[in-house]
Amino acid sequence: MARGTLRIYLGAAPGVGKTYAMLSEAHRRVERGTDCVVAFVEHHHRPRTEVMLHGLEQLPRREIEYRGGSFTEMDVDAVLRRAPKVALVDELAHTNMPGSRNTKRWQDVEELLAAGIDVISTVNIQHLESLGDVVESITGVRQRETVPDEVVRRADQIELVDMSPQALRRRMAHGNIYKPDKVDAALSNYFRPGNLTALRELALLWVADRVDAHLTEYRSEHHVSAIWGSRERIVVGLTGGPEGRTLIRRAARLAEKGAGGEVMAVYISRSDGLTVVSPKELALQRTLVEDLGGTFHQVVGDDIPAALLDFARGANATQIVLGVSRRRSWQYVFGPGVGATVARESGPDLDVHLITHAEVGKGRGLPVARGARLGRSRVISGWLAGVLGPLLLTWLLKSVVPDIGLANHMLLFLTLTVAAALLGGLLPALASAVVGSTLLNWFFTPPVHTLTVADPQNIVAIVVFVGVAVAVASVVDLAARRTHQAARLRAESEILSFLAGNVLRGETGLEDLLERVRETFGMESVALLERAGEKDPWTCAGSVGPRPATTPDAADVDVPVGDHMALSLCGRVLPAADRRVLAAFAAQAAVVVDRRRLKGEADRAEELAEGNRIRTALLAAVSHDLRTPLAGIKAAVTSLRSDDVEWSEEDQAELLEAIEEGADRLDHLVGNLLDMSRLQTGTVTPIIRETDLDEVVPMALGAVPEDSVDLDVPESLPMVGVDRGLLERSVANIVENAVKYSPPGERVLVSASAMADRVEIRVVDRGPGVPDEVKDRIFEPFQRYGDAPRGDGVGLGLAVARGFAEAIGGTLHAEDTPGGGLTMVLAVRTAPGRRRERPDVSPAVTS
């Protein structure tokens, strides 16, 4: 049976019209004769959405009894028995009630797809698992119901349901999303314009990346090598020279001219060893391109123009930005250069920009060699100059240039020998001397065309020529090798100094350091392995690249670090000369690992120190704040037991009341101290149950005077998933704090309202309030703001309240009360799968 197809309507926020769009698509399909049913659709009391259900077949839902309540979920078995062509399943990220067939609704959808049923579903961008932290940083709300990104990416169609923040807020203000009594709270919290704009941008970018992935997949499957300029992608070719920063900034300006422009900086490194540029300069350029919103890539390739063009075509780039060559004029005799070659071979689908800069024509300087050996291309050039050069020179001297004398002939052949030494080293120079001396003897030394020499002076001249050629070649070769060795040492010193500086400053993590090793040596993967003892198995402390080695024996190169750690590289075998720098990298990696462990130990020590601070403050609180009510109780009891005074009934009642008040204060203080101790030691274990707020909140007001609080908790609020005892204690502490700081005669307002998937309890007082910079500090243990007298408590009430709120998955923060005062906002999540009764909507309601 063929697998069904999945179509998803993706929205940036609740209320943009995902469900409405899904139902509209269902009506279109039904009109075309498609067998389409509603498996599960939640209209949330939105009349225009509810009316769209008319005319569509709705399958019955499954009733689930859970902890005394009745809830409904999608009946997967009923959908499978009905076997429609298309099933509508709303809220893909929903968590099913305990006792359901699957834990998550997307798992139900997977079963329908496997059975060959096409599914149309909806989801908001904030429910994607990978975006949870981003959404929380934007809205301040952690999404508990999420769906794996891969489930959404596998969808056959993804349609973005878009709406501007202004239009969505107008829709909400008109009552099309939430009930009127919930609109103000929603507009001032989750549905703020900044929140909606950021969520909309997230949705647009996620869909754009998905479209880009589809395009890349299509081009790969159909072997499309031509560039499709769907959006501007600009590749910046870097050489590691100082002009790179100019090129990156210029490319960023080009990208800004088109919507969705993207900058990709690429450095082509050769495959035979260390990088040929200053790693410090390359790191600066990497940082710059990332700061400008681009990406940095390093590609291994010996043919730089071909590698650059291959990268650009593989990335579907539309433009290439290169700098005008830094070579001097005479150096162009060796070839047209990278820029001219790329421009010539780019074809009509790639635009090439050659950017002028301050380094044009100043020369490239000495290359940083990858070893004391010469490169393959230079050795080949040396052999060509040493063997073919004398032959070509002989032809020129015999056919083009008239006879200029044996001495001049020897000087010209000696020049070729020196050139061969400069290019290829000693062996090509010796070959040039042998070939040159033979040709001199045969063609230019009488008698010609024989290997005999008639004049003894010519014999001496040839011998001197060979000796001078060998000597000059040796000196030139030695100088060239010394130059390359010096350049290598300079490269090594720059690498090590930059590496040591970053590590000592703590700017390089282990993965960043291993990535630097991989890029520097052109390896496929790098791993840092460690073990506890000689007989213990190796474990991976960190790795980069595909298929890292799991043991040192499985790596192409391994460098031991002490007795129980090794740096293992896969890709190729490195020469012995490179192991010195590699050993330094390995030592620094060990330093990074040790520093990470020390930081962990320091964090644990800091936690212990914080615990000691709490205990010290606790003792101080016990020594003062607990003794005050004890002293009052002691005085009242002593007075009552005194035989010297005859107390009236009123006096006795007053003394007994003082005893009771002191005992209540002691009970409250000891309760807060014990609660704070439980929070500090992590022994608070909440038992989450579905709870009605109108049963919990009134119970939390028992410790405050009856006429000091106005309560507004509607019975229609959804049930919340909380620990009832912890929520009650949290609300009680917040209300007691608000009553304590409220002016005489001013009541504290305790209200509750539902918004999306959470319920907010607001405790509003008209007291003095607190400045913004103090709002977070008032939730710390033993902190009291203002001139609160010492006898008023130890400053644990709000700390305990926040601790209990976080323990049950909620949040607690402070806001200014309009007109003066402080508002405490306690947000808790609604119970999953809560069934709500909905009034019937008249068919006369139109969309």
Side-chain angles (χ1 to χ4, degrees):
M1 179 183 295
R3 179 181 171 87
T5 60
L6 175 61
R7 178 171 183 171
I8 294 179
Y9 286 93
L10 178 67
V16 296
K18 304 180 300 300
T19 305
Y20 190 93
M22 178 179 67
L23 294 174
S24 298
E25 175 64 20
H27 279 288
R28 286 192 292 270
R29 297 199 181 198
V30 170
E31 291 173 359
R32 295 196 298 264
T34 304
D35 183 15
C36 184
V37 301
V38 176
F40 189 97
V41 168
E42 190 68 66
H43 54 72
H44 298 291
H45 286 298
R46 297 167 188 168
R48 288 178 172 80
T49 303
E50 189 172 3
V51 76
M52 291 295 293
L53 289 169
H54 298 162
L56 298 176
E57 178 184 352
Q58 302 184 49
L59 297 181
R61 301 182 181 184
R62 181 185 177 189
E63 296 279 345
I64 297 178
E65 299 294 332
Y66 181 70
R67 293 183 177 178
S70 180
F71 307 91
T72 62
E73 295 287 358
M74 181 176 69
D75 192 337
V76 180
D77 291 326
V79 181
L80 293 175
R81 287 194 301 269
R82 173 64 174 77
K85 174 61 178 175
V86 180
L88 307 184
V89 182
D90 205 4
E91 299 179 355
L92 186 63
H94 172 74
T95 301
N96 294 328
M97 288 296 301
S100 300
R101 184 188 185 97
N102 296 300
T103 304
K104 304 288 289 188
R105 184 166 291 164
W106 64 263
Q107 295 170 330
D108 296 336
V109 170
E110 287 293 323
E111 285 198 41
L112 301 182
L113 295 173
I117 301 174
D118 296 342
V119 176
I120 303 178
S121 188
T122 64
V123 71
N124 281 329
I125 191 68
Q126 64 263 30
H127 294 298
L128 294 182
E129 200 167 73
S130 66
L131 300 178
D133 294 337
V134 179
V135 172
E136 183 179 12
S137 66
I138 294 172
T139 64
V141 179
R142 183 68 181 184
Q143 298 295 329
R144 303 298 178 185
E145 292 189 332
T146 60
V147 59
D149 290 45
E150 187 59 29
V151 174
V152 182
R153 288 195 184 98
R154 287 200 306 263
D156 299 274
Q157 297 182 60
I158 299 176
E159 183 171 335
L160 178 66
V161 182
D162 188 28
M163 178 176 289
S164 69
Q166 294 78 10
L168 182 57
R169 286 171 59 84
R170 283 197 300 271
R171 175 181 287 186
M172 176 165 289
H174 294 158
N176 294 334
I177 300 177
Y178 295 139
K179 293 181 178 180
D181 58 335
K182 314 299 182 188
V183 170
D184 290 340
L187 290 176
S188 62
N189 289 278
Y190 193 89
F191 287 82
R192 292 193 295 266
N195 289 0
L196 296 178
T197 302
L199 292 173
R200 186 189 188 199
E201 182 180 18
L202 274 180
L204 292 170
L205 290 175
W206 195 91
V207 173
D209 288 340
R210 176 63 178 160
V211 172
D212 190 52
H214 273 304
L215 178 61
T216 302
E217 181 179 352
Y218 179 86
R219 284 166 51 86
S220 176
E221 291 177 352
H222 293 78
H223 305 289
V224 178
S225 58
I227 291 176
W228 293 355
S230 54
R231 61 171 173 168
E232 292 294 338
R233 285 189 178 87
I234 303 175
V235 171
V236 185
L238 301 179
T239 64
E243 76 282 359
R245 282 170 275 179
T246 301
L247 304 183
I248 293 171
R249 294 189 182 98
R250 179 58 174 158
R253 292 197 297 271
L254 289 174
E256 290 174 356
K257 295 181 180 179
E262 181 181 356
V263 176
M264 295 176 287
V266 58
Y267 169 70
I268 311 295
S269 62
R270 298 189 182 273
S271 61
D272 55 354
L274 291 171
T275 180
V276 300
V277 298
S278 166
K280 182 177 181 179
E281 179 63 32
L282 206 59
L284 292 174
Q285 294 176 15
R286 177 201 293 265
T287 303
L288 176 61
V289 71
E290 291 174 351
D291 288 344
L292 293 175
T295 56
F296 181 89
H297 307 269
Q298 184 158 340
V299 178
V300 177
D302 292 322
D303 188 344
I304 294 179
L308 184 61
L309 289 171
D310 288 343
F311 176 86
R313 292 192 174 98
N316 199 29
T318 57
Q319 301 180 53
I320 296 179
V321 173
L322 298 172
V324 176
S325 178
R326 287 182 283 133
R327 296 190 301 174
R328 301 186 187 276
S329 301
W330 61 268
Q331 291 177 304
Y332 282 97
V333 300
F334 298 108
V338 174
T341 304
V342 170
R344 183 181 67 247
E345 299 179 0
S346 61
D349 50 1
L350 260 176
D351 296 333
V352 180
H353 302 266
L354 292 179
I355 308 299
T356 58
H357 50 84
E359 304 298 322
V360 173
K362 292 185 177 181
R364 297 177 60 87
L366 289 174
V368 180
R370 295 170 174 79
R373 65 194 184 281
L374 299 175
R376 178 182 299 177
S377 60
R378 289 194 58 180
V379 172
I380 294 175
S381 300
W383 280 104
L384 292 176
V387 176
L388 297 182
L391 296 176
L392 180 60
L393 178 60
T394 300
W395 177 80
L396 289 174
L397 293 176
K398 295 297 291 184
S399 60
V400 179
V401 181
D403 187 12
I404 57 176
L406 182 60
N408 291 325
H409 293 158
M410 289 184 177
L411 289 175
L412 291 174
F413 279 99
L414 182 60
T415 303
L416 281 178
T417 301
V418 173
L422 288 172
L423 290 173
L426 182 58
L427 292 180
L430 294 178
S432 177
V434 172
V435 174
S437 61
T438 302
L439 293 175
L440 278 172
N441 190 354
W442 183 269
F443 288 102
F444 303 105
T445 305
V448 296
H449 304 304
T450 66
L451 293 179
T452 60
V453 181
D455 189 347
Q457 294 182 355
N458 292 337
I459 296 176
V460 175
I462 293 175
V463 171
V464 171
F465 164 76
V466 174
V468 171
V470 172
V472 170
S474 300
V475 172
V476 170
D477 177 71
L478 181 62
R481 290 180 181 273
R482 290 286 187 267
T483 301
H484 288 303
Q485 289 173 354
R488 175 185 176 81
L489 293 175
R490 185 179 65 197
E492 291 180 359
S493 64
E494 288 184 353
I495 292 174
L496 295 177
S497 63
F498 182 71
L499 173 66
N502 278 3
V503 172
L504 291 176
R505 289 192 300 269
E507 298 174 358
T508 302
L510 180 59
E511 284 71 22
D512 295 333
L513 180 62
L514 297 180
E515 180 64 26
R516 178 61 57 82
V517 175
R518 190 181 70 85
E519 292 180 355
T520 299
F521 293 94
M523 304 301 286
E524 181 180 348
S525 63
V526 180
L528 184 65
L529 306 176
E530 61 178 349
R531 61 182 178 180
E534 293 292 339
K535 298 182 179 180
D536 294 314
W538 290 96
T539 59
C540 182
S543 65
V544 294
R547 299 178 298 278
T550 55
T551 62
D553 295 336
D556 294 316
V557 180
D558 73 282
V559 179
V561 187
D563 296 331
H564 306 300
M565 190 176 291
L567 184 66
S568 302
L569 296 82
C570 295
R572 63 188 178 89
V573 178
L574 292 177
D578 290 343
R579 296 182 68 89
R580 178 173 54 186
V581 176
L582 193 56
F585 271 108
Q588 294 290 10
V591 171
V592 172
V593 172
D594 291 340
R595 188 179 68 239
R596 187 168 61 182
R597 288 174 179 164
L598 290 174
K599 185 177 184 301
E601 294 177 1
D603 292 340
R604 288 191 292 272
E606 185 176 353
E607 292 177 1
L608 293 175
E610 177 66 16
N612 288 333
R613 187 186 71 82
I614 295 294
R615 283 189 288 272
T616 302
L618 179 61
L619 292 175
V622 170
S623 65
H624 182 280
D625 293 280
L626 295 184
R627 292 177 62 183
T628 301
L630 281 175
I633 294 173
K634 176 68 174 176
V637 171
T638 302
S639 299
L640 287 173
R641 295 188 62 187
S642 175
D643 297 332
D644 300 334
V645 180
E646 186 70 27
W647 300 102
S648 65
E649 292 184 359
E650 291 81 3
D651 293 336
Q652 292 181 4
E654 185 176 350
L655 291 172
L656 290 174
E657 183 180 358
I659 294 173
E660 184 178 10
E661 289 180 356
D664 289 340
R665 288 180 59 188
L666 277 176
D667 179 68
H668 182 72
L669 290 173
V670 171
N672 275 339
L673 290 171
L674 292 176
D675 290 338
M676 198 66 223
S677 177
R678 292 168 60 203
L679 289 171
Q680 291 293 329
T681 56
T683 57
V684 176
T685 305
I687 302 175
I688 305 299
R689 292 191 177 94
E690 294 176 359
T691 304
D692 283 321
L693 283 182
D694 56 356
E695 297 178 358
V696 177
V697 175
M699 298 295 294
L701 307 182
V704 297
E706 294 183 0
D707 59 348
S708 61
V709 176
D710 288 332
L711 188 61
D712 180 18
V713 181
E715 295 182 358
S716 60
L717 287 175
M719 298 178 74
V720 294
V722 297
D723 183 302
R724 180 168 179 162
L726 296 183
L727 178 62
E728 182 179 332
R729 292 294 303 277
S730 182
V731 174
N733 282 0
I734 297 171
V735 173
E736 290 175 17
N737 184 78
V739 171
K740 178 169 43 177
Y741 287 99
S742 292
E746 288 284 348
R747 291 173 175 261
V748 171
L749 173 62
V750 180
S751 63
S753 60
M755 185 181 69
D757 58 348
R758 62 179 178 174
V759 174
E760 288 187 349
I761 303 171
R762 292 177 168 264
V763 180
V764 183
D765 68 61
R766 293 294 178 179
V770 297
D772 291 339
E773 62 271 13
V774 184
K775 283 187 173 63
D776 284 334
R777 198 162 66 241
I778 61 176
F779 294 102
E780 296 178 3
F782 307 105
Q783 296 291 325
R784 293 180 299 176
Y785 176 69
D787 56 354
R790 288 287 301 173
D792 275 8
V794 294
L796 287 177
L798 293 181
V800 170
R802 171 173 277 189
F804 283 168
E806 293 175 350
I808 60 177
T811 59
L812 175 62
H813 66 276
E815 296 178 355
D816 291 328
T817 301
L822 191 68
T823 298
M824 292 290 177
V825 182
L826 174 61
V828 293
R829 291 186 59 82
T830 58
R834 166 68 172 165
R835 182 181 181 183
R836 301 180 186 178
E837 299 295 334
R838 297 178 177 83
D840 293 334
V841 179
S842 171
V845 178
T846 64
S847 58

